[in-house]
Amino acid sequence: MANVLVYAELAEGRPSTLALAALGEARRIASAIGATVYAVLACAELPRYGDDDAIALLGRHGADKVILLTAPGLGRPTLFATHGPAVVAACEQLPPALLLFPSSVGGSDVAPRVAARLGAAFAARPRIDISGDNVVLSRPVHGGVCERRLAIEDIERPVVLTYDGPAGEPCCDGDAEVVVLTAPPVQPAIHELPLEGGAQAPVPPVRVVLLIGRAAIPDPLERRLRALGARVVVDGVPWEAPHSAVVVAVQTDPEHPVFQQARFGLLGEPADVMERLAGALADAAA
Amino acid sequence: MKIIVLLRRLIGPPGRPEPGLLGACEAAALRAAVRLQAACPGSSLTALAVGPPRDDAALAPAAALGARTVRLWNLALEGADYDAYARAIAATCRLLKYDLVLCGERSAEEGLGVIGPATAEHLGIPHLSAACDIAWQPSGRLRVERGEGTAARRLEAAPPLLVTVAASCAVGERLAPAGAGGPVELFDLDKIGLLPEELRHRQRFEGTVIAPPRPRAEILPDVATLAQKLRESR
């Protein structure tokens, strides 16, 4: 039986929402193709085994088994340098057909390098379509004008992907079996420095992505919008919309290609529309 | 300090006009590379592109800034996936010698964010991704700041190192229009010690690009209506 592995990234000691979302998707895929779902839990110390703890939560969200690796360095935020070796160790013990990472900053740092280590195919934030036991990964390219599709059954390599989606409800009643593996020692060549004055101010999560083609808007306006949860994207800038965000196109010409990439559109000079939108978002936030 | 910056020319979707020369991340990587070279006297800068002759244009801004420019190409790379490119880039970097490799965090077209980390993997060196600020420390280590969701994080590491640069990275000066520069050196796989057979099989893992019919955006009458839609979508 094939193995589907999910990296169970922790946030505040609990599996993150994105990790649970990836796990739920892994469960859906594994049920279709007849695979076993393993959640890879790499943490600094052994978790508790209470009803509401990490292992129980992973079991309720679809893990058949939890691969547990502990080492002191695994308490740090996720980077390949800190958590990659543990994930690779899990893959060596239980070679995956499919390996899912939450599409977090940490998951996006670890996933591509693990993919290269495994010689795997890689997809970032694909839509996952299942028909019978066929699994097809589709993701937008060229700003959503085209899609790149990869059928998993067509390749004889593992597939690594990052996943972004809403966490579903718990789907399983049974407890996940725990498999304890030895975590490789963490000797990262990368060190964390304290953030003193001058560090970037936190920005709110992105709620709306504004596509404006090749237009330009003033930097202060762009910063105001960012502080209000709106991200402005011009041509040439890679972008991805969080699953909870709304994509809006703004241009003067209704035939402009950006209107093919968005859910909503506004006609007008982008700078003018952005100015009015910043006002409306500020009013709504007040 | 030997610095290599990876550049590539933007590719437009089929049937659309040619987009700009460099993606925002690649432009940010080049700006940062120039700044880091200037901040470390005696450093060299090489710009490397992997692609057909059209990619020479992507190297022009770097050549105008005095960088050595190298382009690698072989038809075995046509339609190959990230891993073939990362292997080829890594082999070229080894040949060129490097202390620091910079590249864009992700391409504007594909948005995978995989080439940098995969290249670091094939080089066997640490990588830092999504740098939004980058500077040398007095110790000779590199300090990198990255945004992490709603927070920021500051990391440092010693070369040899690969750093992927986010589009938001404001390090370095705005790039001037390309002027004259040295000629682009052309490398083939045999020069970097790879065989086409080692890369060609990766063409199977890239998938197929299609242009599905897409609904157009719902045009809204004004900003107030959009604000209302955003409230409803929460």
Side-chain angles (χ1 to χ4, degrees):
Chain A
M1 183 177 279
N3 300 324
V4 175
L5 271 57
V6 180
Y7 174 59
E9 187 174 31
L10 296 176
E12 309 287 329
R14 294 168 62 83
S16 69
T17 305
L18 275 176
L20 293 178
L23 187 55
E25 195 63 11
R27 175 75 270 158
R28 190 170 75 97
I29 297 168
S31 297
I33 65 173
T36 304
V37 177
Y38 293 84
V40 180
L41 183 58
C43 46
E45 52 194 35
L46 286 172
R48 292 179 301 163
Y49 285 76
D51 280 348
D52 196 33
D53 290 321
I55 291 172
L57 202 55
L58 294 169
R60 286 202 296 272
H61 278 81
D64 296 309
K65 301 184 182 186
V66 175
I67 305 172
L68 180 60
L69 304 104
T70 58
L74 294 173
R76 303 176 201 178
T78 306
L79 288 173
F80 179 84
T82 53
H83 290 67
V87 178
V88 170
C91 293
E92 286 168 352
Q93 290 291 317
L94 295 154
L98 188 62
L99 172 58
L100 288 84
F101 287 83
S103 179
S104 60
V105 174
S108 299
D109 189 80
V110 181
R113 192 147 176 175
V114 172
R117 180 76 62 92
L118 299 176
F122 182 76
R125 302 161 55 96
R127 186 183 76 243
I128 302 171
D129 297 315
I130 302 173
S131 174
D133 58 358
N134 294 328
V135 179
V136 177
L137 309 177
S138 305
R139 58 186 175 82
V141 295
H142 298 297
V145 175
C146 304
E147 272 190 354
R148 189 178 288 283
R149 291 184 182 170
L150 183 67
I152 288 182
E153 66 172 357
D154 289 349
I155 55 179
E156 299 122 19
R157 294 268 178 164
V159 177
V160 173
L161 60 91
T162 57
Y163 182 77
D164 180 21
E169 295 297 312
C171 59
C172 306
D173 293 330
D175 290 337
E177 180 185 332
V178 177
V179 179
V180 178
L181 296 183
T182 303
V186 178
Q187 296 173 320
I190 294 167
H191 301 280
E192 184 127 25
L193 297 174
L195 277 169
E196 63 267 5
Q200 289 188 339
V203 292
V206 175
R207 291 172 40 222
V208 55
V209 175
L210 300 158
L211 308 179
I212 62 172
R214 291 190 183 182
I217 65 167
D219 286 346
L221 176 56
E222 197 272 337
R223 284 196 293 272
R224 260 173 71 206
L225 285 162
R226 196 186 320 146
L228 291 163
R231 185 181 169 205
V232 180
V233 177
V234 297
D235 280 356
V237 174
W239 63 277
E240 54 197 11
H243 65 86
S244 56
V246 175
V247 181
V248 179
V250 183
Q251 263 295 338
T252 51
D253 177 4
E255 298 302 315
H256 195 285
V258 289
F259 290 109
Q260 288 184 321
Q261 303 169 41
R263 180 174 164 199
F264 297 121
L266 286 168
L267 292 172
E269 282 296 336
D272 296 341
V273 174
M274 298 293 106
E275 189 70 51
R276 292 200 298 277
L277 181 61
L281 291 175
D283 289 346
Chain B
M1 195 67 63
K2 296 181 176 65
I3 302 171
I4 296 176
V5 60
L6 309 181
L7 300 176
R8 58 185 294 283
R9 186 167 181 181
L10 275 176
I11 303 169
R16 294 282 175 83
E18 282 284 308
L21 210 55
L22 295 176
C25 292
E26 286 80 14
L30 178 56
R31 289 195 302 268
V34 171
R35 170 64 67 86
L36 291 171
Q37 182 200 15
C40 188
S43 296
S44 66
L45 176 61
T46 301
L48 168 63
V50 179
R54 67 187 297 278
D55 277 79
D56 284 347
L59 295 168
L65 294 164
R68 177 186 178 188
T69 52
V70 174
R71 180 170 60 82
L72 169 76
W73 187 236
N74 184 284
L75 283 176
L77 287 157
E78 181 86 53
D81 78 343
Y82 77 92
D83 196 54
Y85 277 78
R87 281 176 190 275
I89 292 167
T92 311
C93 288
R94 276 195 210 95
L95 182 68
L96 293 169
K97 309 292 184 198
Y98 65 90
D99 297 295
L100 174 64
V101 181
L102 294 173
C103 64
E105 180 203 0
R106 59 187 64 206
S107 70
E109 308 94 318
E110 297 276 345
L112 282 176
V114 68
I115 288 289
T119 299
E121 175 65 22
H122 290 303
L123 287 169
I125 61 173
H127 81 270
L128 286 166
S129 57
C132 55
D133 191 16
I134 179 169
W136 294 114
Q137 298 277 67
S139 61
R141 298 166 73 87
L142 200 65
R143 189 208 71 207
V144 164
E145 203 163 296
R146 63 200 300 242
E148 300 217 347
T150 59
R153 211 166 152 204
R154 189 170 287 169
L155 304 159
E156 71 161 17
L161 181 67
L162 184 145
V163 179
T164 75
V165 181
S168 61
C169 182
V171 172
E173 310 300 326
R174 187 177 290 271
L175 298 174
V184 175
E185 298 171 49
L186 302 181
F187 284 18
D188 197 352
L189 292 184
D190 57 357
K191 188 172 179 78
I192 60 170
L194 288 176
L195 296 170
E197 295 74 34
E198 295 177 80
L199 307 178
R200 194 175 289 126
H201 71 286
R202 298 297 308 192
Q203 292 169 346
R204 284 184 294 143
F205 310 134
E206 183 64 345
T208 309
V209 173
I210 60 163
R214 296 185 63 83
R216 295 184 64 79
E218 177 189 346
I219 303 292
L220 304 176
D222 51 33
V223 164
T225 309
L226 174 61
Q228 176 65 28
K229 296 272 188 188
L230 293 176
R231 277 195 295 275
E232 291 168 2
S233 71
R234 279 188 192 177

